[in-house]
Amino acid sequence: MKPSTGYVRRGKAIERDLFGRRARPSPGSDPAMSLIALDLREMSERALRAGLGRSSSLIEVAALMVELEGSVLLQDD
């Protein structure tokens, strides 16, 4: 039986950020920085589900800052 939406999920679920975009690892990014950003995004999603919209947005901004700072550090090296 088909799902009512007609959408069939195949394979591994695609991870998405708070805004519905696919998670994108930065090329050449530090694995530790990527892990921190991913943890922050997961925390952001939990905050959103708990009804903490503004807090969720701030946590998402923190994840973006970690990625940006990580890429700057890599460029400096």
Side-chain angles (χ1 to χ4, degrees):
M1 184 170 152
K2 282 179 118 177
S4 60
T5 60
Y7 174 74
V8 178
R9 184 183 244 174
R10 293 188 176 121
K12 186 177 177 184
I14 298 171
E15 292 185 23
R16 300 203 179 261
D17 67 8
L18 178 64
F19 304 106
R21 294 183 303 239
R22 290 183 182 187
R24 52 174 168 53
S26 301
S29 65
D30 181 9
M33 299 284 181
S34 296
L35 185 58
I36 292 169
L38 181 61
D39 288 344
L40 284 167
R41 285 207 166 82
E42 289 172 355
M43 187 184 309
S44 171
E45 290 174 10
R46 288 194 309 268
L48 185 64
R49 284 192 294 267
L52 304 171
R54 286 182 289 181
S55 297
S56 176
S57 296
L58 287 172
I59 296 167
E60 187 71 26
V61 168
L64 291 170
M65 290 177 66
V66 166
E67 288 178 343
L68 179 62
E69 190 171 352
S71 67
V72 168
L73 288 174
L74 286 174
Q75 289 176 357
D76 288 345
D77 288 341

